[in-house]
Amino acid sequence: MFFYLSQFLSFFAMPLTIILILIVGGSVFIRRKWGKKCLWTGIGLMLFITNPFFSNLALLAWEPDFKSFDQIENHEIGIVLTGVTNLSKTATDRTFFNKGADRITHALQLYRMGKIKKILITGGQGLNPVNPQTEAEVLKRFLLMTGIPESDILIEDQAKNTAQNAQFTKVFLEKNGITTDQKFILITSAFHMYRSKGCFDKVGLTTTTFPSDYYSHDIKYDIPALFYPDAESITYWHKLVKEWIGIAMYKVAGYM
């Protein structure tokens, strides 16, 4: 019920949904004064959310700064949240990555540098699985291909969302006799780090964050960045709004 309520609110709060309602409503009632206002407001919002300069500024303000590898102290375990593979395509001899692959590649780099001794991957099949494999299993296969010993790869493959990532990780650690009093490195997307950190804090796991998978980039002042409409900018605003709604719902539900 909680999931469907969150999805319902997300749909109606999405910038593009609001813009379509304003433009369609304004067009239907164009003869009325408020109809014209709705139409021009929708057009103005469309110009705003398709501007790459403004979407990048919003992302820069939201995403935490990345941390250099040198400033990370050594830890026993790095925890990697999934959501980076294409489980809609089934294969058993390779891993299909979506955006966000540097969650696992940065975890691999931390391991190779000796910053972590083990990698714990948490994530199952999601809410509408079409692939019999879990994402944790798929990423474990990738790490094995890079030469990491199987004993250094831990997987929790039941979690379906961020709250369960934290809850089930703690259960996994306790079940396997791994102390939960230590500090872990938490590795996930920068835009998703606030919610992730909050969930792990809630279950009593102490983490130091290592953001990855950035959507923002250094500010550019060229003509394309300032003036050219960009369809990806709509996607960025949708991700931000959906994340903010998710945080609000998680706080209401007591997950963080």
Side-chain angles (χ1 to χ4, degrees):
M1 181 64 183
F2 172 79
F3 169 75
Y4 292 109
L5 177 61
S6 177
Q7 292 298 306
F8 178 79
L9 291 175
S10 294
F11 173 76
F12 282 102
M14 286 298 105
L16 193 56
T17 303
I18 295 171
I19 288 170
L20 288 173
I21 291 172
L22 287 170
I23 291 178
V24 172
S27 299
V28 172
F29 299 99
I30 191 65
R31 295 182 181 275
R32 301 186 182 183
K33 188 175 180 179
W34 63 266
K36 291 179 180 178
K37 287 183 178 180
C38 286
L39 177 61
W40 285 110
T41 300
I43 292 172
L45 285 174
M46 177 63 79
L47 292 173
F48 177 76
I49 72 166
T50 56
N51 184 285
F53 184 79
F54 292 128
S55 63
N56 187 56
L57 284 182
L59 286 166
L60 283 170
W62 176 250
E63 293 180 328
D65 292 336
F66 67 86
K67 299 177 179 179
S68 69
F69 286 93
D70 292 337
Q71 73 182 85
I72 298 297
E73 297 179 354
N74 293 353
H75 294 72
E76 187 71 22
I77 297 174
I79 301 173
V80 181
L81 273 62
T82 56
V84 302
T85 65
N86 181 5
L87 286 185
S88 295
K89 204 167 186 65
T90 305
T92 57
D93 62 349
R94 71 200 68 192
T95 300
F96 294 107
F97 283 104
N98 289 326
K99 188 184 183 308
D102 51 354
R103 291 192 199 182
I104 196 68
T105 57
H106 286 175
L108 176 60
Q109 190 169 349
L110 287 166
Y111 176 86
R112 293 297 186 196
M113 295 177 70
K115 300 292 184 178
I116 53 178
K117 296 179 182 178
K118 295 181 184 292
I119 298 175
L120 192 162
I121 307 167
T122 168
Q125 293 177 299
L127 292 162
N128 297 298
V130 297
N131 191 324
Q133 305 165 97
T134 66
E135 203 171 353
E137 291 171 331
V138 171
L139 290 179
K140 177 182 179 179
R141 185 168 65 232
F142 167 76
L143 291 178
L144 288 173
M145 288 189 294
T146 69
I148 294 185
E150 188 169 6
S151 58
D152 289 345
I153 307 170
L154 310 173
I155 64 168
E156 179 290 299
D157 60 1
Q158 298 301 310
K160 296 182 182 297
N161 56 39
T162 309
Q164 290 183 358
N165 284 140
Q167 295 161 3
F168 293 177
T169 292
K170 185 174 184 181
V171 171
F172 175 88
L173 293 169
E174 292 172 341
K175 187 180 295 186
N176 287 275
I178 301 172
T179 178
T180 57
D181 294 335
Q182 62 182 298
K183 181 178 284 189
F184 304 90
I185 295 182
L186 182 61
I187 307 161
T188 190
S189 299
F191 87 94
H192 188 54
M193 184 57 79
Y194 179 84
R195 180 161 37 153
S196 303
K197 172 70 172 170
C199 289
F200 277 82
D201 288 346
K202 184 70 175 182
V203 301
L205 294 179
T206 304
T207 60
T208 183
T209 60
F210 192 84
S212 62
D213 180 29
Y214 282 83
Y215 286 89
S216 63
H217 56 73
D218 296 342
I219 295 178
K220 300 177 183 179
Y221 293 102
D222 55 20
I223 291 177
L226 290 170
F227 301 110
Y228 287 5
D230 182 9
E232 284 191 351
S233 294
I234 301 175
T235 302
Y236 296 153
W237 279 110
H238 276 228
K239 284 188 173 294
L240 282 171
V241 172
K242 187 175 182 180
E243 185 64 16
W244 296 336
I245 291 173
I247 289 170
M249 295 297 291
Y250 267 42
K251 287 186 175 182
V252 169
Y255 293 155
M256 55 184 297

